[in-house]
């Protein structure tokens, strides 16, 4: 049984791209396309989730993701509650299930969850009452499906809906990245022509080719050749202390996206990054601010995609609010 | 007249004595008084009808956490030895990672006393290799040996300094104490919770590479040769690890090895969907590793199959995967999981029983695990064809944490005899007057 879909194949929870069929992903993008009209109007609200309570439960710090979820919920006319648990219950020793039970007692209709441990969103989805929907806003190294869908939405807007003719390269810390995992699943589900990962061996997880279905390159000079989309990943500072890399300086020297390396890609290639960016570490400012960069568009699309996912999963969870 | 018991008409299998025949076993008091022929003047008071059943030495389980002292919310010596009796087990060996650790005579004595009071099985202890299992200071191994420990171990706690490990092995060898080691290189396995491979990459869980086991086996084999210490390798999980042990044995090193019963059946894909019941340490590995472990059990590189019993309270598994405690409540599946290897042709019946009796008994060196006239009567009678379903209601262990819950299993214990007494009976005995 697929936890994410109801018996009619509609979105029930949104936890992981893996396990979702292609038509659901396309439906999310189509719905987001409709909502992106709303977000550009003078009055940026629709009454779809009026009277619903959405709780952003963040066990891990985040500004950007939480803000766009909050904005998305408000534009759907829902009531929104933001909870930063890392500083309250968890430190008092309350178990995750007890925290959830308390939130349910407030009659929440949806949980948007971020947690540092892989599998947490799925765990929560298995323990909520049937009318509550769960959306994964990032769990450990496992999945960040709304980020992946806003990236797919951005690619589709620029490159059209036929992913089969696209070559996409993801560059950087694949090992620790939930974003990369979800992007790869989404790209493969959408039948992308070729998905490449480019990273030093220390930043690639075990059996990556077999586990995720990607082409593996270690150097951008090989991997970036003729690609249509380049997705750069953020490099965390703690990778240096974990003996995974010698220095930011060396990383930029060999894997940073510069104008010269960008020139290896197709002439109309787009440059993406889930943010926040480290200028001069994984990406040169000239590229980040250049014509081919769509990094700020990704942020804007994040709102429409999150509205789509929220509206779709709430509709399917048996509530009547979605008129 | 003294208490007597006759086990009639069963297939009696005792690998230690190369016995496999349909015959009777006669017990007087706490001892075996006859096999095949009754002792003079024997009158049976109680009879176990074992026709169609297998009669063998009571099982010897090299690793079972009984959770006492210190973790009584997970289980107690009384609750877990009762579950052991229902599983045909008459001897259990507990690792020293209780709370407090078994690093002084009072803990050894406490465990022995509680086991004796419960009366279901022999419980022997491993002493701590380092004080409080801190990995730095040697424990009082001489005193522990006099208090009755059958070996020393640092359980799952790492000894990071190779010098401390060397000294600990030399000192243990001074007292002829075997050391039981868990081969997991501490740096390579740090933070990991599952096998590093396809599934860990897909689920985004930090992995423990195969090299964490093989590197540590290499370190330990080198030191075993250097120090002359007898080394027992606990819970192998990789095919390459098995090969390294086989080579060391061929080279004449005094080493032995065991495997947990679940490791012969489950693989990394069993954690899919973040199944916390399949969270075990060492982690479940690939199909090739599982098959390599099976070959090792069949060719005798691995001489013991243990339950690696680790009962937990329900909450211990109701968390996000990485926060859950590893381990399976394994006593009650030990026999059926082992017998299924007989059914699938991996082992002969006598080999399977040897891995549960003579093999582990040899590692412990306490003179159990065989059937001889004059020996203490510890026996198990089981029906190898009986199908049954594992349910929470059917389990006697306080821990219901098992990935086999709800599954149909084949092979069920009918009676267990410990020190000449019936410690478990699925059905009442026949009485003769």
């Amino acid at each position: 049984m697929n936890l994410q879909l109801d018996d009619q194949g509609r979105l029930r929870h949104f936890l992981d791209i893996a396990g979702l069929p292609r038509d659901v992903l396309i439906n999310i993008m189509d719905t987001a396309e409709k909502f992106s009209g709303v977000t550009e109007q003078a009055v940026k609200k629709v009454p779809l989730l009026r009277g619903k309570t959405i709780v952003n439960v963040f066990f891990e710090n985040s500004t950007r993701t939480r803000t766009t979820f909050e904005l998305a919920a408000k534009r759907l006319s829902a009531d929104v509650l933001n909870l930063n648990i890392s500083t309250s219950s968890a430190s008092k020793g309350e178990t995750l299930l007890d925290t959830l039970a308390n939130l349910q007692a407030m009659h929440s209709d949806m949980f948007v969850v971020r947690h540092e441990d892989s599998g947490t969103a799925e765990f929560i989805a298995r323990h909520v009452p049937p009318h509550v929907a769960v959306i994964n806003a990032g769990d450990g190294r496992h999945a960040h499906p709304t980020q992946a869908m806003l990236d797919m939405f951005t690619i589709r807007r620029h490159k059209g809906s036929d992913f089969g003719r696209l070559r996409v390269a993801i560059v950087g810390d694949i090992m620790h990245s939930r974003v990369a995992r979800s992007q790869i699943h989404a790209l493969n589900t959408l039948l992308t022509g070729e998905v490449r990962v480019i990273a030093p061996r220390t930043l690639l997880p075990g059996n990556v080719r077999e586990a995720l279905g990607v082409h593996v390159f270690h150097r951008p000079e090989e991997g970036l050749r003729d690609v249509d989309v380049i997705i750069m990943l953020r490099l965390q500072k703690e990778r240096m202390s974990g003996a995974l890399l010698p220095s930011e300086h060396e990383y930029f020297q060999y894997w940073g996206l510069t104008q010269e390396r960008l020139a290896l890609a197709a002439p109309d290639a787009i440059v993406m990054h889930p943010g926040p960016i480290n200028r001069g570490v994984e990406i040169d400012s000239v590229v980040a601010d250049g014509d081919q960069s769509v990094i700020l568009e990704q942020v804007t699309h994040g709102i429409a995609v999150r509205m789509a996912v929220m509206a779709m999963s709430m509709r399917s969870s048996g509530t009547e609010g979605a008129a | 007249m003294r208490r007597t018991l006759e086990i009639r008409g069963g297939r009696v299998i005792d690998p230690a004595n190369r016995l496999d025949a349909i015959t009777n076993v006669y017990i007087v008091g706490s001892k075996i008084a006859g096999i095949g022929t009754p002792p003079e003047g024997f009158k049976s008071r109680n009879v176990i009808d074992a026709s169609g059943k297998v009669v063998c030495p009571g099982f010897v389980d090299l690793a079972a956490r009984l959770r006492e002292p210190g973790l009584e919310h997970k289980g107690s010596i009384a609750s877990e030895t009762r579950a052991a009796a229902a599983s045909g087990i008459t001897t259990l060996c507990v690792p020293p990672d209780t709370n407090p650790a078994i690093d002084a005579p009072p803990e050894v004595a406490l465990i022995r006393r509680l086991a004796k009071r419960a009366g279901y099985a022999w419980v022997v202890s491993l002493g701590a290799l380092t004080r409080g299992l801190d990995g730095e200071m040697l424990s009082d191994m001489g005193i522990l040996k006099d208090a009755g420990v059958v070996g020393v171990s640092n359980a799952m706690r790492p000894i990071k300094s190779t010098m401390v490990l060397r000294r600990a092995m030399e000192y243990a060898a001074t007292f002829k104490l075997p050391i039981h080691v868990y081969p997991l290189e501490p740096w390579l396995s740090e933070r990991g919770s599952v096998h590093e491979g396809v599934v860990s990459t897909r689920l985004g869980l930090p992995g423990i590479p195969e090299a964490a086991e093989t590197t540590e086996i290499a370190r330990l084999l080198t030191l075993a040769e250097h120090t002359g210490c007898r080394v027992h390798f606990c819970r192998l999980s990789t095919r390459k690890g098995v090969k390294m042990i086989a080579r060391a044995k061929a080279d004449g090193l005094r080493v032995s090895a065991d495997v947990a019963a679940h490791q012969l059946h489950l693989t990394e894909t069993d954690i899919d969907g973040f199944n916390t019941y399949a969270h075990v340490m060492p982690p479940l590995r690939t199909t090739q590793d599982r098959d390599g472990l099976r070959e090792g059990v069949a060719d005798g590189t691995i001489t013991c199959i243990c339950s690696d019993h680790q009962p937990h309270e329900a909450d211990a598994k109701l968390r996000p995967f990485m926060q859950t405690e590893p381990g399976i409540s394994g006593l009650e599946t030990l026999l059926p999981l082992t017998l299924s290897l007989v059914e699938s042709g991996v082992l002969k019946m006598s080999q399977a029983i040897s891995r549960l009796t003579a093999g582990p008994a040899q590692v412990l060196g306490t003179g159990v695990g065989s059937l001889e006239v004059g020996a203490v009567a510890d026996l198990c009678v089981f029906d190898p064809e009986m199908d049954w379903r594992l349910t929470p209601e059917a389990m006697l262990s306080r821990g219901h944490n098992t990935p086999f819950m709800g599954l149909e299993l084949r092979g069920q214990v009918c009676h267990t005899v410990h020190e000449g007494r019936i410690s478990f009976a699925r059905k009442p005995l026949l009485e003769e007057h």
Side-chain angles (χ1 to χ4, degrees):
Chain A
M1 197 202 83
N2 193 329
L3 190 61
Q4 302 193 79
L5 301 175
D6 67 9
D7 47 17
Q8 292 164 57
R10 296 179 307 182
L11 203 59
R12 158 106 189 66
H13 301 291
F14 192 53
L15 311 170
D16 187 2
I17 302 287
L20 291 179
R22 182 161 173 263
D23 61 316
V24 169
L25 302 194
I26 289 172
N27 194 1
I28 291 170
M29 290 191 281
D30 291 346
T31 311
E33 199 67 64
K34 286 177 204 148
F35 283 129
S36 69
V38 173
T39 62
E40 283 151 23
Q41 289 164 15
V43 179
K44 302 181 180 63
K45 267 199 176 189
V46 285
L48 275 175
L49 300 184
R50 185 182 292 154
K52 298 295 168 193
T53 304
I54 295 177
V55 188
N56 284 326
V57 202
F58 278 58
F59 294 86
E60 194 183 74
N61 287 332
S62 152
T63 313
R64 182 175 318 225
T65 304
R66 206 209 62 213
T67 312
T68 52
F69 266 110
E70 186 176 349
L71 211 48
K74 285 182 170 163
R75 288 188 178 165
L76 293 166
S77 309
D79 296 321
V80 188
L81 197 63
N82 289 315
L83 284 174
N84 195 343
I85 310 278
S86 54
T87 51
S88 58
S89 310
S91 56
K92 290 177 193 157
E94 187 177 60
T95 71
L96 182 55
L97 284 182
D98 285 334
T99 305
L100 283 179
N102 277 286
L103 294 176
Q104 275 155 26
M106 300 173 201
H107 301 290
S108 318
D109 300 290
M110 175 182 283
F111 293 135
V112 176
V113 186
R114 169 171 286 197
H115 198 283
E116 62 188 358
D117 284 337
S118 301
T120 303
E122 184 168 331
F123 172 78
I124 290 172
R126 286 186 196 283
H127 290 94
V128 292
H131 69 277
V132 177
V134 177
I135 292 183
N136 186 2
D139 63 326
R141 304 177 186 179
H142 173 235
H144 193 352
T146 58
Q147 175 72 45
M149 286 317 298
L150 75 88
D151 294 333
M152 297 309 112
F153 183 80
T154 306
I155 293 172
R156 192 172 82 162
R157 277 209 159 177
H158 283 271
K159 299 288 171 191
S161 53
D162 180 11
F163 279 58
R165 49 177 200 83
L166 296 181
R167 290 194 185 96
V168 180
I170 304 173
V171 188
D173 185 1
I174 310 291
M175 165 129 73
H176 300 90
S177 178
R178 54 192 172 212
V179 173
R181 279 177 179 74
S182 284
Q183 287 167 337
I184 292 166
H185 283 305
L187 288 165
N188 282 331
T189 306
L190 293 169
L191 309 173
T192 303
E194 190 180 334
V195 184
R196 303 176 180 178
V197 295
I198 306 172
R201 287 171 192 274
T202 47
L203 296 181
L204 287 171
N207 307 61
V208 61
R209 186 190 323 261
E210 190 188 349
L212 301 177
V214 289
H215 298 263
V216 178
F217 294 86
H218 300 298
R219 301 292 296 273
E221 284 70 19
E222 297 150 12
L224 288 181
R225 214 164 279 282
D226 303 323
V227 298
D228 304 288
V229 178
I230 303 172
I231 301 175
M232 301 304 297
L233 298 174
R234 178 179 166 78
L235 187 77
Q236 309 279 350
K237 289 212 187 299
E238 53 264 34
R239 304 303 167 234
M240 264 50 82
S241 53
L244 291 159
L245 287 175
S247 66
E248 293 182 352
H249 170 73
E250 171 145 327
Y251 185 77
F252 184 71
Q253 181 101 342
Y254 291 96
W255 288 278
L257 187 62
T258 58
Q259 205 64 53
E260 296 73 53
R261 291 196 176 118
L262 178 56
L264 298 169
D268 61 345
I270 55 170
V271 175
M272 301 171 67
H273 191 302
I277 61 174
N278 289 317
R279 290 169 185 269
V281 178
E282 69 262 357
I283 191 164
D284 195 345
S285 280
V286 182
V287 177
D289 303 330
D291 292 342
Q292 287 169 270
S293 165
V294 298
I295 296 172
L296 291 175
E297 263 178 63
Q298 287 175 269
V299 180
T300 311
H301 295 161
I303 300 166
V305 166
R306 285 169 180 134
M307 285 173 78
V309 170
M310 284 175 158
M312 288 168 69
S313 49
M314 200 78 104
R315 183 185 57 214
S316 162
S317 60
T319 55
E320 305 303 316
Chain B
M1 183 180 164
R2 297 176 70 189
R3 187 159 41 87
T4 63
L5 175 66
E6 178 181 348
I7 302 173
R8 189 180 287 169
R11 178 180 169 193
V12 181
I13 303 179
D14 177 21
N17 292 300
R18 297 170 177 271
L19 174 65
D20 185 348
I22 306 223
T23 184
N24 303 335
V25 178
Y26 304 94
I27 294 161
V28 176
S30 64
K31 303 276 171 67
I32 295 173
I35 298 171
T37 37
E40 213 170 319
F42 184 88
K43 277 208 185 86
S44 3
R45 289 285 180 83
N46 293 298
V47 176
I48 293 173
D49 175 11
S51 51
K53 314 262 172 31
V54 171
V55 178
C56 64
F59 304 136
V60 179
D61 189 353
L62 273 191
R65 262 88 172 172
L66 307 181
R67 302 307 195 188
E68 205 173 353
L71 293 164
E72 288 84 353
H73 60 293
K74 294 178 186 290
S76 67
I77 287 177
S79 73
E80 302 314 296
T81 54
R82 179 164 169 254
S87 312
I89 298 164
T90 52
T91 301
L92 296 138
C93 178
V94 297
D97 51 356
T98 47
N99 184 19
I102 307 174
D103 65 355
E107 282 78 43
V108 183
L110 172 73
I111 289 167
R112 191 185 299 121
R113 191 167 67 243
L114 290 171
K116 202 166 174 66
R117 188 186 298 162
Y120 290 110
W122 307 110
V123 176
V124 296
S125 306
L126 293 175
L129 184 63
T130 58
R131 195 167 300 175
L133 302 172
D134 68 0
E136 284 164 18
M137 308 263 286
L138 300 187
S139 68
D140 295 332
M141 288 183 226
I143 292 172
L144 281 167
K145 187 176 187 194
D146 287 343
V149 302
V150 292
V152 281
S153 172
N154 223 49
M156 301 292 283
R157 306 276 282 280
I159 296 179
K160 289 186 173 170
S161 159
T162 307
M163 182 55 98
V164 171
L165 183 58
R166 172 201 171 176
R167 296 298 185 216
M169 290 170 76
E170 283 173 336
Y171 196 72
T174 308
F175 289 97
K176 295 195 164 45
L177 274 167
I179 82 163
H180 290 228
V181 292
Y182 289 73
L184 270 181
E185 205 275 331
W187 303 105
L188 284 174
S189 49
E190 206 164 35
R191 290 196 69 243
S193 55
V194 298
H195 172 65
E196 182 179 301
V198 171
V199 179
S200 72
T201 290
R202 196 147 35 77
L203 296 182
L205 291 169
I208 298 177
E210 171 198 79
E213 178 163 306
T214 51
T215 313
E216 187 69 354
I217 290 176
R219 179 168 84 137
L220 287 157
L221 285 175
T222 308
L223 288 177
E225 195 173 6
H226 181 76
T227 62
C229 182
R230 217 181 95 203
V231 178
H232 176 73
F233 287 87
C234 304
R235 313 315 97 74
L236 294 186
S237 72
T238 66
R239 170 189 285 271
K240 283 194 184 141
V242 175
K243 297 267 178 263
M244 291 170 80
I245 302 293
R247 209 173 307 134
K249 282 184 151 185
D251 289 347
L253 224 52
R254 289 200 309 160
V255 296
S256 53
D258 72 57
V259 63
H262 58 253
Q263 206 87 33
L264 298 167
H265 294 275
L266 306 177
T267 63
E268 57 176 342
T269 56
D270 287 288
I271 63 166
D272 251 332
F274 297 99
N275 178 9
T276 59
Y277 294 105
H279 179 194
V280 293
M281 202 54 62
L284 301 172
R285 298 197 186 267
T286 66
T287 312
Q288 292 75 28
D289 288 312
R290 186 200 59 192
D291 293 346
L293 291 166
R294 288 179 167 194
E295 284 163 28
V297 172
D299 69 21
T301 304
I302 296 170
T303 52
C304 324
I305 300 174
C306 66
S307 73
D308 197 19
H309 180 64
Q310 298 181 44
H312 285 298
E313 75 282 15
D315 281 348
K317 293 289 188 183
L318 284 175
R319 292 177 199 155
F321 192 93
M322 284 174 63
Q323 293 178 23
T324 58
E325 296 180 55
I328 291 175
S329 179
L331 293 173
E332 288 156 269
T333 47
L334 178 62
L335 175 65
L337 292 183
T338 303
L339 288 179
S340 103
L341 299 176
V342 178
E343 183 148 344
S344 55
V346 175
L347 298 178
K348 297 193 204 82
M349 180 62 92
S350 63
Q351 285 179 310
I353 291 173
S354 170
R355 304 298 179 259
L356 297 175
T357 58
Q362 196 179 14
V363 172
L364 295 180
T366 56
V368 293
S370 62
L371 303 179
E372 280 134 35
V373 174
V376 170
D378 284 350
L379 296 96
C380 168
V381 181
F382 68 86
D383 182 342
E385 308 292 333
M386 177 63 80
D387 293 327
W388 60 287
R389 193 174 295 280
L390 186 69
T391 60
E393 300 74 41
M395 286 188 83
L396 290 178
S397 167
R398 207 174 282 169
H400 291 172
N401 49 298
T402 164
F404 302 103
M405 191 65 84
L407 294 186
E408 181 117 318
L409 302 166
R410 173 162 289 183
Q412 191 175 48
V413 173
C414 310
H415 295 92
T416 306
V417 176
H418 172 53
E419 274 201 283
R421 291 172 198 274
I422 308 282
S423 57
F424 173 77
R426 197 163 297 280
K427 285 184 191 141
L429 302 195
L430 302 173
E431 279 191 38
E432 297 199 348
H433 299 281

